[in-house]
Amino acid sequence: MSAQSPSYYTPEEYLALERAAEYKSEYLDGEIFAMSGASARHNVITLNIARRLGNELEERPCEIYVNDMRVRVATSGLYTYPDVAAVCGPREFADDQQDTLLNPTVIFEVLSPSTERYDRGQKFAHYWRLQALTDYVLVAQDQIRVEHFQRQGDGWFVTAFTALNATLQLPSLGTDLPMTAIYKNVEFPPPPPRQ
């Protein structure tokens, strides 16, 4: 019995397949990885963030992208889909299709049990190579918890928010994002029973 070797694709082959696909996939080092769907809470949180930022930045030269805007990390070769990406000022795209953003200013990822480890680790290690990226925000969907990683020089400073009366400040976008806005209409799972 022989094991079948995995297929490897060029970035151009990936983009051609992805643009015709019915579902989204990430790409790294010649491999294509299918992305799974999201829960109702995940979708509500994602739309809450995008709606609030869109309203706040409506009169500024900023764009907010949700789920379907692919981001390419040129220095590592990762193609991925952040939950929310914001860019202020001129937007840079990989080609004239304008479906692969190169210069997000802020990225939000809503954490899922299947992706949390990746979002915190390898994915963030790719994202921080984006020179334009100033803020990376991880948002829990099973509790009130937002972690804000803000670029400071060559490093990242993290602040965690765990109360609904807190407010995430995003100076790079010139706006704030209250926890009440992020978690509006979110029903959390009941806490596990005490032993």
Side-chain angles (χ1 to χ4, degrees):
M1 207 183 256
S2 65
Q4 188 175 15
S5 62
S7 297
Y8 287 92
Y9 302 89
T10 67
E12 294 77 20
E13 290 170 331
Y14 159 73
L15 286 173
L17 291 168
E18 189 69 2
R19 288 171 174 154
E22 293 181 19
Y23 57 88
K24 296 183 294 188
S25 298
E26 292 188 337
Y27 172 87
L28 181 64
D29 295 333
E31 294 187 70
I32 297 174
F33 305 92
M35 297 178 67
S36 61
S39 70
R41 274 194 309 272
H42 187 288
N43 281 304
V44 169
I45 292 167
T46 299
L47 289 174
N48 284 345
I49 293 166
R51 180 183 314 113
R52 179 64 181 237
L53 289 178
N55 289 340
E56 290 290 316
L57 302 173
E58 187 174 25
E59 301 300 322
R60 298 189 213 155
C62 301
E63 290 290 335
I64 309 302
Y65 301 105
V66 181
N67 295 329
D68 288 332
M69 177 55 74
R70 189 172 34 255
V71 168
R72 178 178 151 224
V73 182
T75 56
S76 71
L78 176 69
Y79 288 79
T80 189
Y81 294 87
D83 290 317
V84 178
V87 60
C88 289
R91 285 160 291 293
E92 297 172 18
F93 295 99
D95 57 32
D96 61 358
Q97 295 285 327
Q98 295 192 355
D99 60 359
T100 306
L101 183 67
L102 301 176
N103 67 328
T105 306
V106 178
I107 289 177
F108 288 83
E109 292 287 2
V110 179
L111 301 174
S112 299
S114 62
T115 65
E116 180 171 357
R117 187 172 171 178
Y118 175 57
D119 289 342
R120 290 182 179 285
Q122 289 179 321
K123 197 172 201 181
F124 186 30
H126 288 281
Y127 281 157
W128 74 31
R129 297 177 189 187
L130 292 164
Q131 290 187 346
L133 188 70
T134 61
D135 302 84
Y136 182 52
V137 184
L138 298 176
V139 181
Q141 65 171 302
D142 60 347
Q143 62 179 314
I144 297 166
R145 182 168 181 83
V146 172
E147 295 166 73
H148 177 208
F149 295 83
Q150 188 173 24
R151 191 187 298 267
Q152 294 187 353
D154 292 335
W156 293 85
F157 179 77
V158 65
T159 306
F161 303 92
T162 58
L164 271 178
N165 63 352
T167 299
L168 169 64
Q169 296 180 347
L170 296 166
S172 59
L173 299 179
T175 192
D176 298 336
L177 193 55
M179 296 300 107
T180 52
I182 293 173
Y183 289 109
K184 184 176 182 172
N185 298 323
V186 175
E187 294 182 20
F188 294 105
R194 290 191 157 166
Q195 298 290 340

